[in-house]
């Protein structure tokens, strides 16, 4: 079971933070991926692969850390 966070983690940290839910039926708010970032990636490996498949590239604002 993947780790789920109820608030966005620090973008400069080593937690994926990909937003996996916006709002919800039961007003349970936003949900973010709490898995560690993959080495050399902005997200965990699962979300890195998903973004590449959907968008073809990953562009991030300055201040977003890359996984170690």
């Amino acid at each position: 079971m993947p780790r789920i966070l109820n608030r966005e983690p620090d973008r400069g940290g080593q937690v994926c933070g990909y937003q996996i839910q916006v709002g919800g039926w039961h007003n349970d708010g936003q949900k973010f991926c709490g898995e560690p970032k993959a080495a050399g990636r902005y997200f965990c490996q699962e979300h890195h692969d998903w973004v590449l498949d959907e968008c073809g590239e990953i562009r991030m604002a300055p201040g977003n850390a890359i996984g170690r």
Side-chain angles (χ1 to χ4, degrees):
M1 176 107 178
R3 187 169 166 218
I4 306 294
L5 305 174
N6 291 321
R7 51 183 253 216
E8 185 175 14
D10 177 19
R11 294 176 185 198
Q14 292 297 304
V15 175
C16 174
Y18 186 84
Q19 188 169 3
I20 55 179
Q21 177 180 314
V22 178
W25 287 102
H26 302 289
N27 217 11
D28 54 356
Q30 302 176 15
K31 303 261 186 244
F32 300 88
C33 176
E35 295 296 316
K37 291 181 178 179
R41 311 283 191 225
Y42 287 111
F43 304 110
C44 67
Q45 191 64 52
E46 177 184 356
H47 288 117
H48 171 83
D49 293 343
W50 189 88
V51 172
L52 277 181
D53 286 346
E54 290 296 312
C55 302
E57 67 179 323
I58 297 176
R59 294 171 52 188
M60 301 294 284
N64 285 279
I66 294 175
R68 290 185 233 141

